[in-house]
Amino acid sequence: MAGIADVARAAGVSKSTASRALTGAGYVSDGTRAKVREAATQLGYVPTTSAVSLVTGRTQTIGVVVPTLDRWFFAQVLEGIQDALLERRYDLALYGAPPESDARRDMFETFLARKRFDGLIAVGIEPSAHELERLVAFGKPVVSVGGYDVGTNAVSIDDRAAGRIATEHLVGLGHRAVTFVGGDPDGRRTSFGDQQRLDGYLTAMSDAGLEASARHIASEATMPGGYGAAVELLGDRRTRPTAVVGVCDEVAVGAIIAARRLGIRVPDQLSVVGIDDHAYAEMFSLTTLQQKPHQQGRAAVQLLMWQLDDPDAATHRIYESSPLIVRSSTAAVDDAASAIVGVGP
Amino acid sequence: MAGIADVARAAGVSKSTASRALTGAGYVSDGTRAKVREAATQLGYVPTTSAVSLVTGRTQTIGVVVPTLDRWFFAQVLEGIQDALLERRYDLALYGAPPESDARRDMFETFLARKRFDGLIAVGIEPSAHELERLVAFGKPVVSVGGYDVGTNAVSIDDRAAGRIATEHLVGLGHRAVTFVGGDPDGRRTSFGDQQRLDGYLTAMSDAGLEASARHIASEATMPGGYGAAVELLGDRRTRPTAVVGVCDEVAVGAIIAARRLGIRVPDQLSVVGIDDHAYAEMFSLTTLQQKPHQQGRAAVQLLMWQLDDPDAATHRIYESSPLIVRSSTAAVDDAASAIVGVGP
């Protein structure tokens, strides 16, 4: 592959002139710059970026902090970020480690402190360890996706509204025994967004005068998690709700699979609503609130680029819309079916 | 944050001595090195890596090329790579773009050509565009995971054996009408590993004298893909097989969901086997061949580190084991049920 010396020779200039012409650091006449660039293009020369970054102070790299990759939401956000960075010629440095892990602590203390990035996108970050504050302290632009914010740029859906609207949909269909599945039993390890969704559910139940029948069952935010929680919830006919709000589609789909296994008909005997519009939602005819994490990833890159261009620009908290998609996992409460459930063996 | 000048001052040496002591480039006495390192530790000094990399010629970064993140296998491999790189103090530069896309071509021509990495891990790479050969041409160590190899270090399961063993399990249970679901209709877009699995299936069918009933139905390698393909395959009672080999667990689970929706009992009327032992396999009681992509990611990092330490070391093709895990989605063929299927409306 061609080096800077080859480019300089082809353009008939010194190595330092060629270097100045290509990095934009220091004076070079327009004619010389054009000559050097043409030579570089013809030779397929690509600059060594550690040299470029010493001159410009820029790494042309964006760091992305994620808790895990093995979840639809995070994988989608990361793909959106990657797409948008490729278009803008930025590299993506991945910093992935589960919350509260040793690897995560190490990542913050050693890796992120090396600051090998021009800016950071923090995905699904939790308030508990004040990590967002620590990222901001590095003095580089930071955008939060699907997490909390501390006056930084941030992108998410309105999780509280999503939880409320999902619940109101069920209440509007006549359901009174509506259970929320998701989140940690004692709340300490419930993610920021999931807690907001639970709060939205509780608000809707309270607004409908249904505080007394509000019920929250803990579940890992995965399909097997939702399945396991729903098997327990639905197993006892006497206490079985007529409707379930899943904290996300993975949990909601897990509940549908559990219902099928227990011989409970969806939606005749049980309505289920989720939040996400996951790739699996259609296959399970799941009613859900749609979000597009791929677009959230792209929006985060856009916000970060604005901030890189103008460090003093005002910051924004962007709420992406999350419309209700009604499929056939929800239906008007069937009083007859409920009554049968009430007395059946 | 402390700079190199602060470290030099605290250690009572010049900046250039402090720099040599910390980067390992150039002579410094052991005593001085210890003094400088102690000062750096106490001050929490983290070197600017563009300066370090100019001196050492190393970027302390490993590039990872993946086709997509929104699949269990790729997400798991990437997590394994990330874990192993964090332990070794390497950054991870992510290069993700779908095969045959403009973004992918751009990635190879522009991004990867910048060579901002000490080595590369290529995950799920396909032979069609000779991309692995192009990666090797950058002159940096390359390890392939779950794809083909060109004499490079490589990690995968033995996909051909996996397809064969899955099929032999069904044949051993008395099944003769066994259909393989997965891969492209004309084969050109079938991934390397998936083609190997199909070949293994065909070998097993042939060895059992069942060439005539071998049948291959195309399906995207996802759960909705397997669901859609299986709805068509299972819809016609006259041509319905008694068993299905899914190219991966996502496809196999999609087939189980399709069977349930069509009122076909698994395993009484249909046996289904997958390859992966996906996080969902247990929930669907899926018989499958287990692979551990997280471990494959870790193994790839290990191979890459060996190659970085000793560029002349022999290369290895590692086949991770993939044992058969028998759950309850497979059973001996039920001649009575098959007979009913044969005559039913």
Side-chain angles (χ1 to χ4, degrees):
Chain A
M1 184 162 289
I4 186 74
D6 303 303
V7 175
R9 199 176 310 115
V13 300
S14 71
K15 265 174 68 178
S16 61
T17 301
S19 171
R20 286 203 307 280
L22 292 171
T23 60
Y27 176 75
V28 180
S29 75
D30 287 349
T32 302
R33 190 186 309 279
K35 209 162 50 177
V36 172
R37 287 196 175 166
E38 200 191 313
T41 304
Q42 281 182 1
L43 292 167
Y45 170 75
V46 180
T48 307
T49 39
S50 35
V52 172
S53 98
L54 268 191
V55 173
T56 63
R58 286 268 177 113
T59 62
Q60 284 287 114
T61 297
I62 299 300
V64 180
V65 180
V66 287
T68 176
L69 302 167
D70 194 13
R71 292 258 321 263
W72 173 81
F73 177 82
F74 297 121
Q76 289 280 318
V77 168
L78 190 55
E79 286 204 345
I81 291 170
Q82 174 94 79
D83 288 354
L85 290 179
L86 280 173
E87 288 166 14
R88 288 171 176 79
R89 304 265 172 272
Y90 272 81
D91 271 340
L92 189 168
L94 185 66
Y95 299 101
E100 315 273 329
S101 64
D102 287 342
R104 181 100 176 175
R105 276 180 284 274
D106 194 28
M107 202 176 76
F108 271 76
E109 278 160 28
T110 311
F111 285 81
L112 291 164
R114 296 201 289 209
K115 295 197 281 185
R116 303 176 70 167
F117 43 77
D118 298 334
L120 283 171
I121 299 176
V123 187
I125 201 158
E126 300 302 331
S128 50
H130 302 287
E131 289 180 341
L132 193 55
E133 291 83 340
R134 295 179 65 189
L135 296 179
V136 169
F138 291 133
K140 306 270 187 177
V142 178
V143 178
S144 164
V145 181
Y148 73 119
D149 75 285
V150 286
T152 50
N153 277 313
V155 184
S156 69
I157 60 168
D158 184 337
D159 290 291
R160 183 186 293 265
R164 186 174 50 73
I165 291 165
T167 309
E168 285 171 355
H169 168 65
L170 295 168
V171 169
L173 289 167
H175 293 275
R176 301 183 66 77
V178 181
T179 298
F180 185 92
V181 180
D184 199 51
D186 68 3
R188 278 184 308 173
R189 295 179 66 94
T190 301
S191 83
F192 179 76
D194 290 356
Q195 183 61 48
Q196 299 275 309
R197 292 175 191 183
L198 174 58
D199 290 349
Y201 157 81
L202 292 171
T203 301
M205 290 298 276
S206 171
D207 288 353
L210 297 172
E211 296 97 328
S213 62
R215 192 170 161 204
H216 168 218
I217 302 289
S219 159
E220 191 185 84
T222 62
M223 203 187 290
Y227 173 81
V231 164
E232 268 195 46
L233 173 67
L234 304 173
D236 186 341
R237 286 175 164 232
R238 290 163 306 177
T239 58
R240 184 190 299 165
T242 65
V244 161
V245 177
V247 69
C248 62
D249 278 5
E250 283 147 307
V251 165
V253 165
I256 289 175
I257 295 169
R260 284 185 187 167
R261 176 142 300 193
L262 294 168
I264 299 166
R265 294 191 309 281
V266 175
D268 303 352
Q269 295 173 294
L270 183 76
S271 283
V272 179
V273 59
I275 297 173
D276 270 345
D277 203 29
H278 187 286
Y280 299 165
E282 185 136 24
M283 184 170 46
F284 289 94
S285 303
L286 181 67
T287 296
T288 187
L289 276 89
Q290 181 181 60
Q291 67 169 326
K292 296 185 171 171
H294 192 278
Q295 283 186 15
Q296 292 176 44
R298 295 190 68 96
V301 170
Q302 185 62 59
L303 285 174
L304 194 58
M305 293 297 142
W306 286 345
Q307 208 179 334
L308 284 169
D309 287 344
D310 178 5
D312 301 322
T315 58
H316 301 272
R317 169 104 209 177
I318 295 181
Y319 289 107
E320 301 258 334
S321 70
S322 53
L324 181 71
I325 312 283
V326 179
R327 297 196 182 93
S328 55
S329 68
T330 49
V333 69
D334 181 343
D335 289 327
S338 303
I340 289 164
V341 167
V343 296
Chain B
M1 186 164 288
I4 187 74
D6 302 305
V7 175
R9 199 175 310 119
V13 300
S14 71
K15 264 173 69 177
S16 60
T17 301
S19 172
R20 285 202 309 279
L22 291 172
T23 60
Y27 176 76
V28 181
S29 75
D30 286 350
T32 303
R33 191 184 311 279
K35 207 161 54 176
V36 171
R37 289 196 172 162
E38 198 191 315
T41 304
Q42 280 185 0
L43 292 167
Y45 169 75
V46 180
T48 306
T49 38
S50 33
V52 172
S53 93
L54 268 190
V55 173
T56 62
R58 288 267 178 113
T59 62
Q60 284 286 115
T61 296
I62 300 300
V64 181
V65 180
V66 286
T68 175
L69 302 168
D70 195 12
R71 292 245 336 255
W72 173 81
F73 178 81
F74 298 122
Q76 289 280 317
V77 170
L78 190 54
E79 287 203 343
I81 293 171
Q82 173 94 80
D83 288 354
L85 290 180
L86 280 173
E87 288 166 14
R88 288 168 176 82
R89 303 267 172 270
Y90 272 81
D91 270 341
L92 190 167
L94 185 65
Y95 298 99
E100 315 276 329
S101 65
D102 287 343
R104 182 97 174 178
R105 278 181 283 275
D106 194 28
M107 202 176 78
F108 271 76
E109 279 159 26
T110 312
F111 284 82
L112 291 164
R114 297 201 288 208
K115 297 196 280 187
R116 303 176 69 168
F117 42 78
D118 298 335
L120 283 171
I121 299 176
V123 187
I125 202 158
E126 301 302 330
S128 51
H130 302 287
E131 288 180 343
L132 193 56
E133 292 82 340
R134 296 179 65 188
L135 296 180
V136 169
F138 290 132
K140 306 271 188 176
V142 177
V143 178
S144 165
V145 181
Y148 73 118
D149 76 284
V150 286
T152 50
N153 278 312
V155 184
S156 69
I157 60 167
D158 184 336
D159 290 291
R160 183 185 294 266
R164 187 174 51 71
I165 292 164
T167 309
E168 286 171 354
H169 169 64
L170 295 169
V171 169
L173 289 167
H175 294 275
R176 301 184 65 79
V178 181
T179 299
F180 185 92
V181 180
D184 200 49
D186 67 3
R188 279 185 307 173
R189 294 179 66 93
T190 300
S191 84
F192 178 77
D194 290 357
Q195 183 61 49
Q196 299 276 309
R197 292 176 192 183
L198 173 57
D199 291 349
Y201 157 81
L202 291 171
T203 301
M205 290 298 276
S206 172
D207 288 352
L210 297 172
E211 296 98 328
S213 61
R215 192 171 162 205
H216 168 216
I217 303 289
S219 159
E220 190 186 84
T222 62
M223 202 188 291
Y227 173 80
V231 164
E232 269 196 44
L233 173 68
L234 304 174
D236 186 340
R237 284 175 166 234
R238 290 162 307 178
T239 58
R240 184 190 297 163
T242 64
V244 161
V245 178
V247 69
C248 62
D249 278 4
E250 282 147 309
V251 165
V253 166
I256 290 176
I257 296 168
R260 283 184 188 170
R261 176 144 298 191
L262 294 167
I264 298 165
R265 294 189 308 281
V266 175
D268 303 349
Q269 295 173 294
L270 183 77
S271 283
V272 179
V273 59
I275 297 172
D276 269 347
D277 202 30
H278 187 287
Y280 299 165
E282 184 136 24
M283 186 171 43
F284 289 93
S285 302
L286 182 66
T287 295
T288 188
L289 277 88
Q290 181 180 60
Q291 67 168 327
K292 296 185 171 172
H294 191 279
Q295 282 185 14
Q296 292 177 44
R298 295 190 67 97
V301 170
Q302 185 61 60
L303 286 174
L304 194 59
M305 293 297 141
W306 286 343
Q307 211 179 332
L308 283 169
D309 286 345
D310 178 6
D312 301 322
T315 58
H316 302 272
R317 169 103 210 177
I318 295 181
Y319 289 108
E320 300 258 334
S321 70
S322 52
L324 180 70
I325 311 284
V326 179
R327 296 197 181 93
S328 54
S329 68
T330 49
V333 69
D334 180 345
D335 289 325
S338 303
I340 290 165
V341 167
V343 295

